[in-house]
Each structure stands twice: as structure tokens, then as C-alpha cells.
Amino acid sequence: KPMEGRITDIGPREFTEFLPPVIKANKGKWAYHEILEPGVLVHVGESGDKVFTVRVGAARLMSVTHIREICEIADKHCDGYLRFTTRNNVEFMTDSEDKLAALKEDLASRKFDGGSNKFPVGGTGAGISNIVHTQGWIHCHTPATDASGPVKAVMDTVFSDFQDHRLPAPVRIALACCLNMCGAVHCSDIGIVGIHRKPPMIDHEWTDQLCEIPLAVASCPTAAVRPTKVELDGKKVNTIAIKNERCMYCGNCYTMCPALPISDGEGDGVVIMVGGKVSNRISEPKFSKVVVAYIPNETPRWPTLTKDIKKIVDLYAEHANKYERIGDWIERIGWEKFFELTGFEFSHHLIDDFRDHAYYTWRQTTQFKF
Ligand code: SF4
Ligand code: SF4
């Protein structure tokens, strides 16, 4: 049905069409909300109406059969309404405690063949919610790591923290499979970022045929790309040259020119960043900082990455004060202590970041002990 005032039918339908009736009726008039148990929330309206939400962990890439099953659950318990959160959780909403009990029972009964729960409930409050991540090897052209693979491996390792509230505060984990950063790694408690470590290869046979050479030159943020000519089969061909010492392996030129592939089995891998957040509770929002400079892509289960992340989460659970996010905790104890506790090797390349007054002082003050 066309919405009033819309002048075309292009784009998604107006979101208010999809709101459950109880949410529509109480929009802007909520009195309070609380978390009843991990993964289950209640919102109470000024009218006394209640909305019970059950948050379920989900994958970012889903099969059609899985989506059909999610829709079947929503039809059965929630009058056909459901929502996907920005962290790829699915939220089923009901308006009574009886319906909530039936929904939870139904979700708990649905298992994979191996016996694990298809629809795990959790991801709220002082725990670990689903991981925001990017496209990875399955879809994008510039990834330095996979997305779904390491995310699955990491989430399996910290899964108990999805289902309970043992942590001092929420821990947000994000993964971006290259520095273009379609994820939220700059502002997450733990960020996993794919990095290339070698310049693009140049396929001179194709540069002139597949690429707008001026565009490839203009795409390089460090001016490492220039036009040139090389001799190929006795003919001079237009191509490009790369000044390797200027290259920061960002892959921008490859985005413009498919004859400059940058993915490399040996060079590619991930870094770990910590301490970012968007909340202004206790302290202002923070950018994350690099604490592990390189881990190779150890497919299929990324054992070093998962071990290091588990270590950070467990140390945080043990040492942080209640309500402190990872960044608040580290700033209270000092970055030197963080490296001592984790055993991560410190180098002068780490924990430096953007040229913002608040951030470029860590390694430059006389208080920094390394
Ligand atoms: Fe593609 Fe990079 Fe975005 Fe990953 S982070 S989806 S590789 S642009
Ligand atoms: Fe320039 Fe980035 Fe290409 Fe390197 S990878 S040549 S820095 S655009």
C-alpha cells in the first residue's frame, strides 16, 4: 500500500508499517525497560502495556530454510512480527507473559542435528552480543581475512558470555576484513581488522584493458601509483608502477583497477584492537587501539586469534570494576599493566592512533613506562 506523501515506489516500504501494534500504540510513551534474564527484555509503557523481547543469536549470512523457520516462529508466537538488530540478532516480541513462556519453550526445543541450540537466547546487558562483521572472502574483493569464519570461531570461544551476565559491562566485538572498515572496529571494545602486508601485484597484461589508469593513480591516498609504459611481447603498453615503500596496503587501487590484486596468502592476516566504545558512561567515547599487530589467517578455526580474545575477555572479567568497559579498565590500570597481564608483546607501533589531541599522547608522555 503506498504511503501518504511518497512520490515513488522505489526503496523499502515505510518502516512504521512493520511495527507490532503494541509498539505503535506506545511509541514515544515508554515508562521504563529492564532485562529480566540474559536475552529477555521487557518494555513497559505509560499505558501499562508490556512488550517482551527475546533476543536470539543469528548468523549474518543465512540459508532460505533458516529464514523460513524464523518467520514460522514469528507467525506462531508474535503475530508475524520480528526484527533484526544491527548486530545480526533476531528479536521476537510478544505482548504477554504467557506468549513469552511459550516462545521461550519453543526456541529451546529447536536443535541442530548435533544437539546444539539453533536459536540461542542471549546477547543483552553485561555480556557479549553478536559480532558486527563485514563480507569476508564470500563476497568482497579486498578482504585480508574472512569474516564469517573468524567470527564463528571467536563467538564459539566466548559463547558462554553471550548467554550470561558475568562481565562488568557490555563487550562489543566487531570484525572488518580490510582497512576500508565496513565494520565498527574503531569504536568496539574488541576489534578484529584484516590487514594486507604486501603491495598489490601488477598484471601488466591487463592494466590497460581493465582499468582507467588515471583513476587508479588518483585512488591512491599516498601517491604511490603512477602511470608508466612497459614492454610486453615486443610492444610498449600503458600500465602503472607502484612505489612499494610508499604503499600502505590499503587496496584502494585494486578497487579501481582489477588488474592490481592485493590478496596474498602469506601477507594477509588480522590485528586485534581494544578499548573503543560509543557510550559516554564513565568516560567519553573512545577509539580502539592496536594491541596485537599481526596474526596469520589460521583457517578454519583461527586458534591464535580466539586464544588472544578469550584471554582479554577473561582478564577483563577478573580485573575490571563493575560498569567499566574494556577501555575504561585499561586506562585505569595503565596500558603497561594491560600488556603485562596479557603477555602480548609491546612494540612502538602499538596503541598509537589518530592525531586527535586526546589520543596521541600515550607513548609520548613521561608517564609511559615502556
Ligand atoms: Fe570489503 Fe573491506 Fe568492507 Fe571487508 S571491510 S567488506 S574487504 S571493503
Ligand atoms: Fe596506494 Fe593503497 Fe594501492 Fe598501496 S594499496 S598502491 S597505498 S592505493
Side-chain angles (χ1 to χ4, degrees), residues 200 219-222 224-225 242 247-253 262:
S219 72
C220 180
T222 62
V225 179
I242 293 178
C247 177
M248 61 176 186
Y249 327 124
C250 68
N252 261 7
C253 53
I262 193 168

Side-chain angles (χ1 to χ4, degrees), residues 58-367:
R60 185 165 179 265
L61 301 169
M62 288 179 176
S63 66
V64 172
T65 44
H66 192 61
I67 294 171
R68 287 205 174 116
E69 189 168 352
I70 290 170
C71 295
E72 179 228 312
I73 297 168
D75 278 339
K76 195 164 155 194
H77 299 281
C78 316
D79 300 320
Y81 292 94
L82 68 97
R83 67 183 286 263
F84 288 83
T85 72
T86 50
R87 307 193 78 84
N88 316 315
N89 294 298
V90 182
E91 287 190 347
F92 297 104
M93 284 161 287
T94 66
D95 54 10
S96 81
E97 271 181 85
D98 292 347
K99 289 186 196 168
L100 171 68
L103 169 63
K104 277 170 42 186
E105 196 182 326
D106 189 354
L107 289 170
S109 73
R110 295 177 190 248
K111 311 267 189 204
F112 287 112
D113 287 346
S116 59
N117 206 326
K118 254 189 195 175
F119 297 99
V121 175
T124 52
I128 295 182
S129 198
N130 227 343
I131 299 179
V132 163
H133 68 90
T134 51
Q135 317 282 351
W137 291 329
I138 204 160
H139 188 56
C140 195
H141 62 297
T142 51
T145 188
D146 191 21
S148 305
V151 161
K152 168 73 175 143
V154 169
M155 207 62 210
D156 280 352
T157 312
V158 295
F159 185 60
S160 59
D161 285 314
F162 179 82
Q163 295 182 300
D164 65 29
H165 287 163
R166 86 166 164 140
L167 300 177
V171 171
R172 300 281 183 249
I173 307 181
L175 180 144
C177 39
C178 87
L179 301 185
N180 284 331
M181 220 282 280
C182 309
V185 289
H186 66 297
C187 61
S188 291
D189 299 276
I190 299 176
I192 306 160
V193 191
I195 49 158
H196 301 287
R197 299 187 307 158
K198 294 184 185 178
M201 294 157 265
I202 307 170
D203 195 345
H204 295 296
E205 196 185 335
W206 292 100
T207 33
D208 197 21
Q209 300 179 54
L210 292 179
C211 315
E212 294 280 358
I213 287 175
L215 212 54
V217 171
S219 72
C220 180
T222 62
V225 179
R226 67 179 167 82
T228 188
K229 285 182 191 292
V230 295
E231 190 148 327
L232 213 61
D233 300 331
K235 274 196 310 190
K236 286 261 185 203
V237 296
N238 291 319
T239 184
I240 67 153
I242 293 178
K243 200 173 220 180
N244 285 353
E245 61 275 24
R246 277 200 177 184
C247 177
M248 61 176 186
Y249 327 124
C250 68
N252 261 7
C253 53
Y254 177 48
T255 299
M256 291 299 148
C257 175
L260 301 173
I262 193 168
S263 291
D264 178 275
E266 281 175 16
D268 294 353
V270 293
V271 306
I272 300 179
M273 304 177 80
V274 301
K277 63 172 186 134
V278 286
S279 153
N280 59 6
R281 185 175 196 177
I282 296 184
S283 62
E284 73 285 1
K286 300 177 197 304
F287 284 124
S288 342
K289 297 177 179 61
V290 176
V291 291
V292 177
Y294 176 70
I295 299 171
N297 285 319
E298 298 165 321
T299 58
R301 296 296 295 174
W302 276 267
T304 309
L305 174 69
T306 52
K307 180 171 64 62
D308 285 352
I309 288 182
K310 179 81 175 126
K311 189 188 284 178
I312 295 169
V313 171
D314 286 346
L315 285 167
Y316 165 67
E318 188 184 345
H319 293 276
N321 294 334
K322 197 162 171 57
Y323 303 127
E324 271 180 342
R325 299 285 288 258
I326 287 185
D328 295 322
W329 163 58
I330 297 173
E331 285 182 11
R332 177 172 57 78
I333 63 171
W335 285 92
E336 300 94 327
K337 185 77 183 165
F338 173 80
F339 280 93
E340 190 188 311
L341 284 171
T342 54
F344 295 157
E345 192 183 340
F346 180 77
S347 90
H348 69 280
H349 300 293
L350 301 175
I351 70 170
D352 198 10
D353 56 42
F354 311 95
R355 295 293 150 220
D356 179 319
H357 184 68
Y359 286 99
Y360 74 128
T361 51
W362 291 111
R363 297 185 297 106
Q364 295 163 17
T365 69
T366 49
Q367 276 83 48

